Amino acid sequence: MIKKVLIANRGEIALRVMRSCREMGLLTVAVFSEADRTSHHVAYADEAYPIGPAVAKESYLNIEKVIATAKRCGADAIHPGYGFLSENSEFARRCKEEGIIFIGPAAETMEAMGDKIAARKRMIAAGVPVVPGTEQPLQSAEEAVRICNEIGYPVMLKASMGGGGKGMRLIHNESEVVEAYNTARSESMSSFGDDTVYLEKFVEEPHHIEFQILGDNHGNVIHLFDRECSVQRRNQKVVEESPSPFLTPELRREMGEKAVAAAKAVNYSGAGTIEFLVDKNRRFYFLEMNTRLQVEHPITEEVVGVDLVKEQIRIANDEVLHLKQEELFQRGHAIECRICAEDTENNFMPSPGVIKQLTEPNGIGVRIDSYVYDGYEIPIYYDPMIGKLIVWATTRQYAIERMRRVLYEYKITGVKTNLAYLKRIMHVPDFVKGEYNTLFIEKNARMLVRTNTANEELENIAMIAAYMDYLVNLEENVSAQLPDARPISRWREFGLQKGVLRI
């Protein structure tokens, strides 16, 4: 039985895994780079160990250091979170060799689904619809031109080992094929160490919809319904919701059945995600399988009422899946916004730095998976996502209204964030009506640019002034006769008298 879990990750996902472990009575072990010494997950864990410099390849991506730390502290199991080593088959294999339980699928399963071309073949054999395209790696630019002309434009060129939008190129006509082929191969080699690419017919006006699945070591597989992930910028998800407002009950049932079939085709064990593209006519096609926990998994947890991390651990303990498909249903509606330290007015450049002030929203139906705090310095070495804001409500309309409220309450100063950008998304008519696809951000670009500069600047000035007043009053308190005396705020008094500002 698993008694101690090392989390081979950082930030919010490390904390999220640790919380479930603590509820299960399991000890937790954090690993951290030099840049993460003061990170929240380090303080939260029962034990914490340094594993190297800030650069990920010398710390979080160093398999031998992670394995050595697990053995040193006596961890029974390793949870990889997402990113870093979570889909590294060699890491899963090394854990098995060292007698450490890897909380995830077998190395062989990762390899089977990590290769996009091999995965397409398996899905075809399992009766899962796939996008028309090549079943063999492209051998030359000339071959790519020929096949593109046969399939018909537009066509998507993809890296076989790709993910996260890397190694992908949309081709509109023959003149773009050669350049796309060469750049996609180069990007794939630099990102994944493999330059194999293939072609798929581009699905126009697609929805990106995924199904959460769970499988145990005894042949049982279920799905936990769908997530709509079509609000994307450069193939990176920004906002997700569950259930999808686009699916009909009949289509949801059919896609769920195909997701289970896809997982069974590779004897899947653990938590995973089957991703589909759904065209405007509601025809769906297998896109890929992610053999790990997804960033957006909380919205599934909110509407289904299942702790996916706990299920992962139980499956890794070789327990029989206790959840039955016929007993599961979606309740209410959940939306997730990814909170990132980035400058949305400067091409979404990362914005590392020290958080001066943090005010997180609260209230019914609000969940925050984050790891930052007042005074925390966001490092430059990792992904700019600093947290996820999740709301749940009984209906989609109420969930949108709740998300608007909590985004208004969420305050972070010291670094630039995408909070204002997310606020605007919640008011775009296409999103409000649920009538959007993966072209949403491109189509609504004008509405998403900064348009409320005056009000936002006034709010920032008010916050700065209030904080300055707070500091002044702290100094006055030092000499006050009563230690707990708190002078009336001169700023507030002035604002109320003049009627110019309310804080």
Side-chain angles (χ1 to χ4, degrees):
M1 295 292 291
I2 296 174
K3 296 180 180 179
K4 181 185 285 191
V5 180
L6 182 147
I7 295 84
N9 218 297
R10 64 179 297 277
E12 65 88 11
I13 186 58
L15 271 173
R16 188 266 167 275
V17 173
M18 289 176 188
R19 287 181 172 126
S20 287
C21 287
R22 182 155 292 183
E23 289 181 14
M24 297 177 77
L26 305 177
L27 295 174
T28 57
V29 180
V31 291
F32 61 94
S33 70
E34 291 176 1
D36 277 337
R37 186 171 292 274
T38 60
S39 186
H40 192 174
H41 79 281
V42 177
Y44 188 89
D46 295 298
E47 302 175 36
Y49 298 86
I51 54 170
V55 180
K57 68 179 181 181
E58 298 181 37
S59 51
Y60 297 110
L61 289 172
N62 191 310
I63 292 175
E64 297 309 317
K65 284 184 178 179
V66 174
I67 294 288
T69 303
K71 295 179 70 176
R72 172 186 171 191
C73 70
D76 310 297
I78 293 179
H79 194 299
Y82 54 72
F84 292 136
L85 296 171
S86 63
E87 292 184 284
N88 187 306
S89 60
E90 180 58 28
F91 181 50
R93 188 171 285 111
R94 286 286 292 115
C95 287
K96 185 176 182 180
E97 291 172 354
E98 297 294 338
I100 300 169
I101 297 172
F102 178 78
I103 302 177
E108 294 75 18
T109 303
M110 287 188 189
E111 290 166 348
M113 299 308 286
D115 184 326
K116 304 296 188 295
I117 297 175
R120 280 172 58 84
K121 293 179 180 179
R122 285 177 176 268
M123 294 304 102
I124 292 171
V128 180
V130 301
V131 180
T134 57
E135 294 184 34
Q136 301 295 333
L138 293 173
Q139 300 300 318
S140 66
E142 291 73 24
E143 181 186 22
V145 171
R146 177 178 60 79
I147 295 175
C148 284
N149 289 334
E150 291 175 358
I151 294 176
Y153 300 93
V155 175
M156 184 67 81
L157 187 67
K158 293 185 176 183
S160 182
M161 302 303 294
K166 291 183 172 61
M168 293 176 61
R169 292 294 183 278
L170 178 60
I171 302 172
H172 297 91
N173 53 62
E174 185 174 334
S175 65
E176 299 175 359
V177 178
V178 174
E179 182 181 355
Y181 175 81
N182 291 329
T183 54
R185 287 187 65 200
S186 176
E187 185 173 290
S188 179
M189 176 59 75
S190 63
S191 299
F192 312 111
D194 185 301
D195 64 357
T196 305
V197 294
Y198 67 102
L199 287 167
E200 283 184 349
K201 176 69 177 175
F202 179 67
V203 179
E204 298 187 75
E205 299 182 30
H207 287 253
H208 187 142
I209 295 175
E210 59 191 30
F211 273 72
Q212 178 70 56
I213 59 98
L214 286 173
D216 64 20
N217 299 319
H218 308 278
N220 302 300
V221 180
I222 60 169
H223 72 81
L224 291 87
F225 303 100
D226 56 291
R227 298 186 287 253
E228 174 80 57
C229 305
S230 296
V231 179
Q232 301 181 6
R233 179 183 168 276
R234 296 180 181 175
N235 297 308
Q236 295 289 331
K237 300 165 188 173
V238 179
V239 175
E240 302 97 353
E241 60 178 311
S242 180
S244 165
F246 184 66
L247 297 188
T248 63
E250 296 76 21
L251 183 57
R252 178 172 288 111
R253 188 180 309 111
E254 183 181 1
M255 291 178 69
E257 291 171 356
K258 294 299 183 183
V260 170
K264 286 185 174 181
V266 291
N267 300 314
Y268 197 82
S269 175
T273 303
I274 307 296
E275 302 198 351
F276 295 100
L277 286 181
V278 186
D279 69 17
K280 59 185 178 182
N281 297 312
R282 292 187 170 86
R283 292 188 294 257
F284 67 94
Y285 307 96
F286 171 81
L287 177 63
E288 64 180 357
M289 181 179 193
N290 286 301
T291 56
R292 54 170 168 79
L293 205 61
Q294 292 279 88
V295 175
E296 57 273 19
H297 77 272
I299 54 175
T300 292
E301 294 182 325
E302 294 300 313
V303 297
V304 182
V306 173
D307 186 320
L308 292 173
V309 172
K310 289 183 180 179
E311 296 305 318
Q312 284 184 298
I313 294 171
R314 293 184 180 117
I315 291 167
N317 256 333
D318 205 31
E319 295 181 28
V320 175
L321 196 62
H322 66 97
L323 300 168
K324 305 298 182 184
Q325 190 69 65
E326 60 274 14
E327 297 173 353
L328 298 174
F329 60 93
Q330 291 167 301
R331 169 180 164 271
H333 200 92
I335 303 174
E336 173 181 291
C337 287
R338 301 189 184 197
I339 312 301
C340 298
E342 58 188 13
D343 187 351
T344 59
E345 298 175 53
N346 186 23
N347 199 30
F348 292 81
M349 288 289 290
S351 178
V354 177
I355 292 179
K356 301 296 185 183
Q357 179 268 342
L358 171 67
T359 301
E360 293 181 333
N362 211 324
I364 186 172
V366 180
R367 168 176 169 180
I368 300 174
D369 284 15
S370 182
Y371 73 101
V372 297
Y373 52 85
D374 287 342
Y376 176 73
E377 182 172 4
I378 300 170
I380 64 174
Y381 306 98
Y382 314 113
D383 190 285
M385 191 182 79
I386 57 177
K388 302 176 305 197
L389 178 59
I390 305 103
V391 300
W392 178 91
T394 54
T395 68
R396 185 173 187 270
Q397 178 185 342
Y398 292 162
I400 292 174
E401 292 171 357
R402 181 160 291 160
M403 182 60 82
R404 289 173 180 169
R405 187 264 296 177
V406 296
L407 283 170
Y408 172 79
E409 293 179 1
Y410 213 143
K411 309 295 181 187
I412 302 175
T413 62
V415 298
K416 293 182 180 296
T417 72
N418 65 336
L419 285 169
Y421 188 81
L422 294 169
K423 288 179 191 176
R424 290 190 282 275
I425 289 176
M426 292 298 123
H427 288 86
V428 175
D430 285 349
F431 182 83
V432 175
K433 292 183 292 186
E435 298 174 358
Y436 67 93
N437 52 49
T438 56
L439 300 177
F440 169 80
I441 286 181
E442 179 182 340
K443 177 184 175 183
N444 295 283
R446 285 195 173 187
M447 295 188 68
L448 295 175
V449 298
R450 189 168 185 172
T451 57
N452 200 25
T453 305
N455 288 341
E456 290 177 2
E457 288 300 328
L458 184 62
E459 184 176 315
N460 289 338
I461 292 171
M463 291 177 63
I464 293 169
Y467 186 63
M468 291 173 63
D469 174 71
Y470 168 73
L471 295 177
V472 169
N473 285 323
L474 282 181
E475 294 178 1
E476 293 180 6
N477 278 336
V478 173
S479 58
Q481 291 183 348
L482 296 175
D484 59 349
R486 175 68 166 90
I488 296 174
S489 164
R490 291 192 300 275
W491 173 260
R492 179 178 176 83
E493 188 177 52
F494 174 80
L496 292 176
Q497 288 175 352
K498 300 297 182 182
V500 296
L501 189 64
R502 294 183 182 274
I503 303 175

